[in-house]
Amino acid sequence: VQLQASGGGLVQPGGSLRLSCVTSGFSSYYYAIAWFRQAPGKEREGVSCISRGSDTYYAVSVKDRFTISRDNAKNTVYLQMNSLKPEDTAVYYCVRGLGCTWDSADFGSWGQGTQVTVSS
């Protein structure tokens, strides 16, 4: 079971990035897929989640700026991030769970994540 996050990088405030999460070793359409992030010195926090039925959920801090979507044929979940702010700087992880919650303990298969840095 693997979830490989990619697409991070350095972007200026107000810019955009699209993160991808490619899953393998399991049928991703049976699971909720979530994005969590962790900034240096801060606790891990939930960013967004897409359920098995493609219901979507967002943290208040990213609502109306981020969009999560899934392409089950490609075993890929995307996180489109627009209007990025310096406070979005963190390592972003994609993980799987049985349903969408904001508790990281409900998710497994944490990979290495992808670094997003928002800075001028």
Side-chain angles (χ1 to χ4, degrees):
V1 173
Q2 282 192 323
L3 294 91
Q4 182 64 50
S6 64
L10 173 64
V11 64
Q12 292 187 341
S16 299
L17 283 174
R18 188 176 81 159
L19 305 184
S20 297
C21 175
V22 178
T23 67
S24 61
F26 68 101
S27 298
S28 60
Y29 47 82
Y30 288 129
Y31 290 86
I33 304 295
W35 290 94
F36 282 77
R37 67 186 180 187
Q38 188 164 24
K42 295 188 176 181
E43 292 188 355
R44 188 177 291 169
E45 65 171 343
V47 176
S48 184
C49 184
I50 187 164
S51 72
R52 290 176 288 183
S54 293
D55 293 321
T56 58
Y57 303 87
Y58 299 95
V60 172
S61 60
V62 307
K63 191 172 175 60
D64 298 327
R65 298 190 298 122
F66 290 11
T67 302
I68 192 170
S69 61
R70 68 193 304 163
D71 185 337
N72 289 330
K74 294 183 178 180
N75 292 320
T76 303
V77 171
Y78 303 100
L79 185 68
Q80 177 67 43
M81 307 188 296
N82 299 328
S83 302
L84 284 161
K85 304 176 181 180
E87 51 263 44
D88 295 317
T89 296
V91 177
Y92 285 70
Y93 303 88
C94 61
V95 289
R96 71 170 188 174
L98 296 180
C100 285
T101 77
W102 295 122
D103 187 346
S104 61
D106 292 333
F107 294 88
S109 303
W110 294 78
Q112 292 188 339
T114 185
Q115 175 71 49
V116 171
T117 303
V118 185
S119 175
S120 55

